Amino acid sequence: NADGLGVFVPRNVDYYGTCPGCDPFGYREPANRLTGAYDRRGLFDRSYGGLTVNYTQPFDGFNLTSITNIQVLRKRYGEDSDASPNPIFIYDTHQYLLQESQETRLDGQVGHLHWTAGVYLLDINSRNNYDANVLVAGENIAYNTKTNTYSAAGFGQLEYALSDQFTVIGGLRYSWDHKKYWYTTTDSLIPAND
């Protein structure tokens, strides 16, 4: 329109020269806007599982606590991105993620002083694949990523009870993180370099 904004094309206007109310490929949306026709059934499938084991062993004067966690995620998603029965554009993504963590700590009490010291380890591995298929142009664009995250930390905390109502708390934590990221992309219309 005059303001540069898009407008709906009336159902009786052949704007693209394909048929009245049709898109450039000759598809006309049904009168009921809650229905549609697709050339591909969409999908969404996700599974997730996790396990946590928390174990505490008391010893003379201190406790040993171990918390182990593992999580696994698998996901697949696909859609007919052009939302028409024409083979124009489809999109798919796949993901696999594995996360493992371990915390081990000691804690104890000496008089009014309660102490805690421990280590924490984290490992996350993720693979992601994305496929964009521009079928009308015969083009496939694939993005593939892999991410590895490693983290380690040591920590300690002291709590001193001054009275039944007041406690002084101090603590330290040191963390080390390392991340690796791999990324590739291919386009079927762009020749690979030799």
Side-chain angles (χ1 to χ4, degrees):
N1 64 16
D3 296 323
L5 302 175
V7 295
F8 286 106
V9 176
R11 293 181 64 78
N12 61 349
V13 174
D14 187 0
Y15 183 81
Y16 297 103
T18 53
C19 62
C22 293
D23 69 11
F25 299 94
Y27 174 63
R28 180 177 175 171
E29 284 284 341
N32 180 350
R33 294 191 183 272
L34 299 178
T35 63
Y38 304 95
D39 62 319
R40 174 217 173 149
R41 179 185 295 265
L43 64 95
F44 180 75
D45 181 32
R46 178 175 58 196
S47 61
Y48 169 80
L51 175 68
T52 301
V53 177
N54 188 337
Y55 176 76
T56 300
Q57 175 67 51
F59 289 96
D60 188 24
F62 66 94
N63 298 311
L64 169 66
T65 301
S66 172
I67 304 171
T68 305
N69 176 263
I70 184 169
Q71 299 177 50
V72 178
L73 170 74
R74 287 185 173 88
K75 183 188 78 167
R76 182 166 181 221
Y77 172 79
E79 69 177 27
D80 178 7
S81 299
D82 58 87
S84 80
N86 301 305
I88 300 171
F89 181 63
I90 61 173
Y91 174 77
D92 288 283
T93 179
H94 304 81
Q95 180 186 19
Y96 173 78
L97 180 134
L98 173 64
Q99 175 178 303
E100 301 167 287
S101 66
Q102 173 65 45
E103 178 177 323
T104 304
R105 66 177 183 259
L106 302 172
D107 72 281
Q109 180 129 7
V110 179
H112 295 285
L113 179 69
H114 182 265
W115 58 271
T116 303
V119 294
Y120 177 78
L121 305 172
L122 175 68
D123 185 9
I124 304 173
N125 295 289
S126 178
R127 290 191 315 266
N128 300 278
N129 303 313
Y130 309 93
D131 290 307
N133 290 286
V134 186
L135 302 173
V136 70
E139 181 178 20
N140 173 265
I141 304 168
Y143 306 92
N144 300 296
T145 66
K146 182 179 177 184
T147 306
N148 291 351
T149 303
Y150 309 98
S151 181
F155 58 90
Q157 179 171 303
L158 298 174
E159 301 176 32
Y160 188 80
L162 299 174
S163 68
D164 292 339
Q165 296 177 332
F166 296 100
T167 301
V168 176
I169 301 173
L172 293 173
R173 180 182 182 101
Y174 176 80
S175 294
W176 173 85
D177 298 304
H178 182 71
K179 182 171 280 203
K180 291 182 180 178
Y181 184 74
W182 295 267
Y183 177 91
T184 61
T185 182
T186 57
D187 188 323
S188 61
L189 297 183
I190 299 174
N193 293 330
D194 292 331

